[in-house]
């Protein structure tokens, strides 16, 4: 393919719709004041929109490109692992949702850092939390920009740079002008488009392979190990555990997930969102990874022959789908990239504006006018987006691994701080500081050194170190209080 306009036009139409939605939201009034409206949608999200924005939070371009690519190589073992994530949204809203919402409303919190500062009464911890959010979100956004632009180039035939420019303009503009409400509404559109894209691709993969039975027969004959849970050692128990931690249990404390608990309208909406979101996540995770496995039975060659794991889905789309439908099918995974970037961008912006700048001004006794906050919030959101865009111009490889690194860093920094902070009375700020600072440094060091005890991802090192440091720091501070 070389510059296929038929593929490009539907994508341009989708992007134009996202921009129009951002402009529409910009013209609406913000319930509860500008900050609440811009950063958490005025706490007015209904059940369906809340569920869809949670779905979009967990559906990144790596999930739609790198994940199925790994399934293409490993087989059904990767699908078994994907099932683990299906209950995560249920846990986020069920465990953290009510607790976070009630506390946020009581203390008028707008961000997750507001909650941490209130619980631990520590500006140092709040500043560290804001710093961690910005750094790891930057890495995550770079991965999403790169993945989306690479997919754009592979399927449309246009350049990587053109795809990057289009993504940059659309995401930065609609997120900057519309804030969280625009993110939530575009997430809803993106989630619907993702599901339609998966259904389309699934249908044409089955058609190209002669049906499910024929594809499975091909796999059984050529790659029987792909039908087993361990894939002849390529999907060991250590990988199951690592993935359960990275994209399962620990994701309940991701800042972009927890902030959804601040945004819903009522408990009834939250309960309905738990059911809707869990069903949709289950469908999308299982279906998209099944497409990867079945794709191996259709194409027959290994991932290296297609250009690597990240190239599997683009190549599969190009080979099995009619050219006139490629433009619609590509919107699904690109929508995942767009929604993920916008979601983390607005949280990163809130960390800078609300948690650092505004708090510092309030500490000095200065009042910041709403007009200034409006301009600053939009400016910071746009600036962060532009910085990440520039970093993505020279694309790194293995976007899936970069995204997992960012996930692991955020989980190490926030998991124990939030779990113990919200559900215990004995947690102390010394423990929280030690866990967030020390645990995150240890995690990064383990990643840099490639340290994988028992074959586990370095997240196991980071989360364990964070736990030990939290308990030790809290015990030390409580001992001083008793002395």
């Amino acid at each position: 393919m070389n510059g296929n306009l038929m593929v490009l036009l539907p994508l341009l139409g989708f992007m134009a719709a996202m921009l129009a939605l951002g402009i529409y939201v910009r013209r609406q009034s913000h319930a509860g004041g500008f900050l609440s409206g811009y950063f958490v949608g005025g706490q007015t999200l209904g059940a369906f929109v809340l569920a869809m924005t949670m779905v979009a939070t967990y559906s990144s371009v790596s999930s739609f490109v790198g994940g199925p690519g790994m399934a293409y190589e490993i087989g059904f073992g990767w699908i078994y692992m994907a099932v683990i994530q299906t209950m995560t949204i249920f846990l986020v809203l069920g465990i953290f949702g009510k607790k976070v919402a009630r506390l946020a409303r009581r203390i008028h919190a707008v961000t997750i850092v507001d909650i941490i500062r209130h619980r631990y009464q520590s500006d140092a911890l709040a500043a560290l939390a804001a710093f961690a959010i910005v750094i790891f979100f930057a890495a995550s956004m770079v991965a999403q920009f790169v993945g989306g632009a690479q997919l754009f180039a592979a399927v449309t035939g246009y350049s990587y740079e053109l795809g990057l420019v289009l993504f940059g303009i659309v995401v930065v503009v609609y997120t900057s002008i519309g804030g969280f409400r625009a993110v939530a509404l575009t997430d809803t559109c993106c989630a619907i488009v993702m599901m339609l894209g998966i259904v389309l691709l699934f249908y044409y993969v089955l058609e190209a392979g002669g049906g499910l039975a024929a594809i499975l027969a091909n796999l059984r004959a050529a790659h029987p190990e792909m039908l087993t849970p361990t894939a002849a050692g390529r999907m060991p128990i250590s990988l199951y555990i690592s993935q359960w931690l990275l994209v399962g249990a620990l994701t309940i404390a991701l800042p972009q997930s927890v902030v959804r608990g601040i945004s819903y309208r009522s408990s009834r909406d939250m309960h309905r969102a738990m059911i809707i979101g869990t069903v949709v996540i289950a469908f999308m995770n299982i279906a998209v990874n099944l497409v990867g496995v079945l794709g191996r039975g259709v194409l027959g060659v290994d991932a290296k022959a297609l250009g690597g794991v990240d190239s599997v889905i683009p190549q599969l789309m190009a080979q099995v789908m009619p050219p006139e439908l490629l433009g619609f099918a590509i919107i699904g995974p690109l929508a995942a990239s767009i929604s993920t970037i916008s979601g983390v961008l607005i949280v990163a912006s809130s960390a800078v504006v609300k948690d650092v700048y505004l708090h510092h001004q309030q500490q000095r006794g200065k009042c910041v006018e709403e007009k200034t906050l409006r301009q600053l919030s939009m400016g910071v959101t746009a600036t962060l987006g532009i910085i990440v865009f520039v970093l993505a111009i020279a694309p790194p490889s293995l976007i899936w691994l970069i995204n997992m690194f960012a996930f692991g860093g955020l989980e190490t920094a926030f998991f124990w701080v939030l779990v113990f902070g919200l559900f215990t009375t004995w947690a102390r700020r010394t423990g929280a500081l030690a866990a967030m600072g020390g645990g995150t440094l240890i995690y990064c060091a383990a990643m840099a050194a490639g340290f994988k005890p028992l074959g586990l991802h370095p997240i196991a090192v980071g989360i364990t170190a964070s736990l030990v440091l939290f308990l030790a720091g809290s015990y030390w501070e409580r001992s001083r209080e008793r002395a």
Side-chain angles (χ1 to χ4, degrees), residues 35-312:
L35 283 179
S36 177
Y38 190 80
F39 291 123
V40 290
Q43 298 177 318
T44 59
L45 295 193
F48 185 73
V49 174
L50 176 61
M52 291 301 101
T53 192
M54 286 295 296
V55 168
T57 297
Y58 285 99
S59 302
S60 63
V61 71
S62 63
S63 303
F64 281 78
V65 177
M70 291 294 291
Y72 183 93
E73 284 284 271
I74 291 174
F76 276 89
W78 198 257
I79 296 178
Y80 302 145
M81 181 281 303
V83 175
I84 296 170
Q85 195 183 3
T86 62
M87 294 304 293
T88 302
I89 187 172
F90 192 90
L91 292 172
V92 169
L93 294 175
I95 293 177
F96 280 105
K98 279 190 175 181
K99 192 80 172 179
V100 168
R102 287 173 179 171
L103 180 58
R105 283 165 169 78
R106 179 161 59 85
I107 66 174
H108 305 291
V110 173
T111 69
I112 185 176
V113 179
D114 284 339
I115 292 172
I116 291 174
R117 178 183 281 115
H118 173 82
R119 170 59 181 87
Y120 292 100
Q121 295 297 301
S122 172
D123 286 341
L125 180 63
L128 183 60
F131 178 76
I133 286 173
V134 172
I135 293 298
F136 287 113
F137 274 7
S140 178
M141 285 188 283
V142 168
Q144 299 309 317
F145 265 126
V146 170
Q150 287 179 341
L151 181 60
F152 171 89
V155 177
T156 67
Y158 290 94
S159 69
Y160 168 87
E161 290 75 16
L162 176 61
L164 196 60
V165 169
L166 287 175
F167 284 166
I169 292 174
V170 172
V171 176
V172 172
V173 170
Y174 88 69
T175 306
S176 300
I177 64 177
F180 185 86
R181 188 181 294 277
V183 169
L185 292 178
T186 52
D187 280 353
T188 302
C189 297
C190 288
I192 293 171
V193 169
M194 286 179 229
M195 288 187 282
L196 293 175
I198 291 171
V199 171
L200 267 178
L201 182 56
F202 193 85
Y203 172 81
Y204 282 103
V205 166
L206 289 178
E207 186 179 71
L212 181 61
I215 295 173
L216 291 178
N218 288 340
L219 286 174
R220 191 174 293 109
H223 306 284
E225 73 283 356
M226 291 185 68
L227 304 181
T228 65
T230 60
R234 299 188 69 185
M235 190 73 190
I237 298 300
S238 60
L239 186 51
Y240 274 103
I241 296 173
S242 296
Q243 290 301 111
W244 174 72
L245 290 172
L246 269 174
V247 296
L250 299 184
T251 59
I252 64 175
L254 288 173
Q256 64 267 42
S257 303
V258 177
V259 75
R260 266 63 183 177
I262 305 177
S263 62
Y264 66 80
R265 182 172 51 202
S266 67
S267 295
R268 183 170 177 267
D269 289 304
M270 186 269 288
H271 292 146
R272 292 174 59 195
M274 288 168 63
I275 298 171
I276 297 169
T278 301
V279 171
V280 175
I281 281 284
F283 164 74
M284 292 175 65
N285 270 355
I286 296 171
V288 76
N289 284 286
L290 183 57
V291 164
V293 176
L294 298 179
R296 182 64 176 268
V298 173
L299 301 183
V301 299
D302 61 24
K304 288 184 179 179
L306 298 174
V309 167
D310 293 337
S311 299
V312 168

